[in-house]
Amino acid sequence: MKPAYVFAALSADVGCQVEAYLVRHFATILELVGDKTRSVAKAGRAAVIAFAKRMSLNSCAAVRCLYNMLPALESTKSQVKVAALEVISMFGTESPDSVRTLMPDLVPAVCDLLHDTKVQVTEEAEQCLANMAKTIQNRDIDDLVPAMLEALME
């Protein structure tokens, strides 16, 4: 549990560039969100949120973070899946370039969760896809995005 709090503190605002050192541990911290011990899960969630906020300031770091986080979408723990989807949604708002860069990898991974057995995962996946769609800046397909989302969700 203490490493998660240290991770969160380092992610907050330490005045130095820690992204490169911490990004490789993000998937591990994300797994803590699904821990059965409530205090560990709470610490993991705080660390994930703090780190995602920090990473969203740097598009290159955000892309690396998102890429390293893809295996979390296949976790056996629904809490981890939900947290990962929330992070993707947050990056869609805070760092849309990073989401657009990894759209070909993210869309299939998120679509797989649309039919998860847990309702919370399914709802979060739908919201995540909607937030990812907001990052699209191609005027030629703006009118098609709602139909594409509907088709993906069915």
Side-chain angles (χ1 to χ4, degrees):
M1 177 173 68
K2 288 183 182 182
Y5 284 124
V6 170
F7 195 86
L10 285 172
S11 297
D13 188 24
V14 292
C16 64
Q17 300 299 320
V18 296
E19 292 94 345
Y21 302 104
L22 297 180
V23 72
R24 69 184 89 163
H25 302 293
F26 186 64
T28 304
I29 296 299
L30 195 55
E31 273 297 315
L32 291 179
V33 173
D35 197 274
K36 292 182 190 247
T37 308
R38 193 173 290 268
S39 60
V40 173
K42 184 178 177 185
R45 187 157 194 74
V48 164
I49 291 168
F51 188 65
K53 284 181 182 177
R54 172 78 181 239
M55 295 300 278
S56 68
L57 301 174
N58 179 336
S59 288
C60 292
V63 167
R64 188 166 176 212
C65 180
L66 281 169
Y67 186 77
N68 289 343
M69 190 183 71
L70 283 172
L73 295 173
E74 297 174 6
S75 176
T76 57
K77 301 172 185 172
S78 63
Q79 301 91 335
V80 174
K81 292 177 188 178
V82 169
L85 291 166
E86 288 172 348
V87 169
I88 294 169
S89 291
M90 188 178 100
F91 280 130
T93 304
E94 303 294 325
S95 181
D97 289 340
S98 62
V99 173
R100 277 193 300 272
T101 300
L102 285 177
M103 194 76 81
D105 296 313
L106 291 172
V107 169
V110 173
C111 283
D112 286 346
L113 298 177
L114 289 172
H115 307 290
D116 197 86
T117 56
K118 299 281 185 176
V119 174
Q120 187 179 10
V121 174
T122 302
E123 290 172 353
E124 195 60 45
E126 288 176 4
Q127 183 63 44
C128 183
L129 270 179
N131 289 339
M132 288 170 53
K134 291 176 186 174
T135 67
I136 298 171
Q137 294 182 330
N138 187 337
R139 291 183 192 172
D140 295 335
I141 64 168
D142 277 348
D143 295 336
L144 299 174
V145 171
M148 289 183 341
L149 282 175
E150 188 176 320
L152 287 171
M153 290 181 193
E154 288 183 14

